[in-house]
Amino acid sequence: MIILHHDVTSPAAAVAVLRLQRIADAGGAVAFQGIDVLGLDAAIPVTLDQLAELERESGRLHSFGVAARRPSRRPPTLGAHLVADIAEDQGCGAAWRLAALTAYWERDDDLGDDGVLVELAVAAGLDGAVVAERLADRSARVGLRRRMLATRQRGIGGVPVLEVQGAFVPADLPDDDLRQLAAS
């Protein structure tokens, strides 16, 4: 089993999500674990490291059908990861991840806005009322923030990072290696 630690606002993580989704679709054992790397409560301007990463990864994103452009902000993504948990539970994880990635990278949607997240969730096949309720649940937010803090304390600072049997490995492994890891 491979666990991919990722965040929507990282171009390299977006590429990793798309690569590993293909492996998961082919039957590979892959889990997707979101983390708001910066732990933000409000949007900030796009960061220089994010722009450099976008420059490096835009061609790869395009090869997966994501026409990435420069975003106007770097939003908090805790809410997006709350929705991801619901999506996983309902078998819509892949649809949600693609919806969130294209919303942010192609349309510059504000993933820090709960209304935007509800609209995207409905488009990905989720119940809008369930999503709105979870986004409004302060204890759910606190619980997820604690889980993310525990992930950081285990050594995950940036994304994408793969976790295989408790070991952290880079996500830019060749596809054949990823398939082998997902098969074991």
Side-chain angles (χ1 to χ4, degrees):
M1 163 77 74
I2 297 174
I3 301 170
L4 171 62
H5 298 275
H6 66 95
D7 195 14
V8 179
T9 62
S10 163
V15 168
V17 164
L18 296 166
R19 290 178 67 214
L20 285 161
Q21 187 61 56
R22 286 185 176 173
I23 291 170
D25 291 345
V30 179
F32 298 86
Q33 185 69 57
I35 182 169
D36 185 344
V37 175
L38 298 180
L40 301 172
D41 284 326
I44 61 171
V46 178
T47 58
L48 293 176
D49 63 320
Q50 187 183 25
L51 291 176
E53 195 175 295
L54 177 58
E55 187 173 316
R56 285 191 311 271
E57 300 292 346
S58 63
R60 293 176 75 192
L61 282 167
H62 186 74
S63 73
F64 283 101
V66 177
R69 62 187 192 133
R70 180 188 172 130
S72 63
R73 72 189 76 74
R74 187 165 186 163
T77 56
L78 183 78
H81 297 305
L82 278 171
V83 177
D85 288 347
I86 297 169
E88 285 297 327
D89 291 345
Q90 296 185 7
C92 298
W96 168 253
R97 285 186 291 278
L98 184 59
L101 288 174
T102 57
Y104 182 69
W105 289 108
E106 290 185 352
R107 296 189 308 273
D108 194 29
D109 288 356
D110 182 0
L111 298 184
D113 181 300
D114 288 354
V116 169
L117 294 174
V118 170
E119 288 177 21
L120 290 172
V122 168
L126 300 171
D127 182 316
V130 170
V131 170
E133 184 178 323
R134 178 74 57 88
L135 289 169
D137 183 347
R138 178 149 171 75
S139 65
R141 286 182 178 268
V142 169
L144 182 56
R145 195 166 298 283
R146 283 185 182 142
R147 185 182 87 198
M148 290 178 180
L149 178 60
T151 300
R152 281 188 206 90
Q153 289 172 338
R154 289 180 44 233
I156 302 215
V159 291
V161 173
L162 299 178
E163 185 174 350
V164 181
Q165 298 177 348
F168 299 133
V169 293
D172 60 355
L173 296 173
D175 286 346
D176 287 340
D177 292 346
L178 292 173
R179 279 190 284 277
Q180 281 185 313
L181 289 171
S184 55

